[in-house]
Amino acid sequence: MDPIALLPFIILIGAMFLMTRSAKKKQQQAVQMRDSMQPGSGVRTIGGMYATVKEVHDDTVLLEVAPGVHAVYAKNSIGAVLDDEEYNRIVHGDEPGEDTPAVPDDLSSLTGDGDDSGAPAIDLAKKPEPTDAVQGDKPEEDKDGKDGKADGGK
C-alpha cells in the first residue's frame, strides 16, 4: 500500500486527537473553576442568572438568587465564578472607581441654568399658537382654494 494514500487518514486521526485533547482541557478548567467556588462567591449560571453561593456540596450548590430566596443547583449548571468586583458591577451597578465622569440628573447642563458663562438660557417651553380669527368669520374654503360653490357656478 502506498504511504501517500494513508496520509489523509493520518491527518484525520491527528485532527480528532487534537480536538478531543482541547475539549478535555476545557472540561478540566471548568471542573477546576467549579471547585474554586466558596460561600460568598458570585456566580453566573449557564442560563445567565447571577447569584451568590451560600453552600457547596458534592454535586449541588445552594445559591441565593435574591435576598432571602435560595435555590439548589447542580454544580454543572455554574457557567462562571466571578470575582467580587465584577459581580458587584454587574448585579448592583457599582462602578470600580471615580474615574468616570459624573452625569447630571437634570437638564441644567443642557439648558444653561446652572451655567455662569453669560450665554442666554434656552427656552424649551412650548409656546401657544396665536389665534387671529374666530371661527365663522372666514368663509370655508376647499383644499383647492375654492369657496365651496359648484364648479359651474360664478
Side-chain angles (χ1 to χ4, degrees):
M1 192 128 172
D2 193 18
I4 296 178
L6 293 176
L7 187 62
F9 293 112
I10 294 171
I11 292 175
L12 182 65
I13 291 171
M16 288 175 40
F17 173 75
L18 290 176
M19 286 191 292
T20 57
R21 184 173 179 222
S22 66
K24 188 181 284 189
K25 194 174 188 181
K26 286 180 184 179
Q27 189 176 20
Q28 286 175 349
Q29 288 176 345
V31 168
Q32 188 178 30
M33 179 256 322
R34 290 183 185 115
D35 287 339
S36 71
M37 281 188 298
Q38 299 174 15
S41 300
V43 296
R44 182 183 65 233
T45 65
I46 58 174
M49 184 178 66
Y50 293 91
T52 305
V53 176
K54 288 297 175 184
E55 295 177 9
V56 179
H57 301 288
D58 292 334
D59 295 331
T60 60
V61 179
L62 180 67
L63 300 179
E64 184 177 28
V65 295
V69 180
H70 297 87
V72 178
Y73 278 81
K75 267 191 176 179
N76 292 340
S77 66
I78 304 300
V81 177
L82 308 171
D83 58 347
D84 290 337
E85 184 177 306
E86 183 179 6
Y87 179 77
N88 289 331
R89 181 184 59 82
I90 293 170
V91 175
H92 303 296
D94 295 345
E95 290 299 322
E98 299 299 323
D99 298 338
T100 59
V103 178
D105 290 338
D106 57 359
L107 295 174
S108 63
S109 64
L110 299 175
T111 60
D113 292 341
D115 194 14
D116 294 335
S117 64
I122 300 171
D123 185 18
L124 298 176
K126 185 176 180 181
K127 296 180 178 36
E129 293 186 25
T131 56
D132 294 337
V134 178
Q135 277 188 336
D137 288 352
K138 207 172 181 184
E140 287 188 27
E141 291 185 0
D142 285 346
K143 292 179 184 176
D144 297 334
K146 298 179 183 174
D147 61 350
K149 296 181 183 177
D151 288 338
K154 289 187 180 180

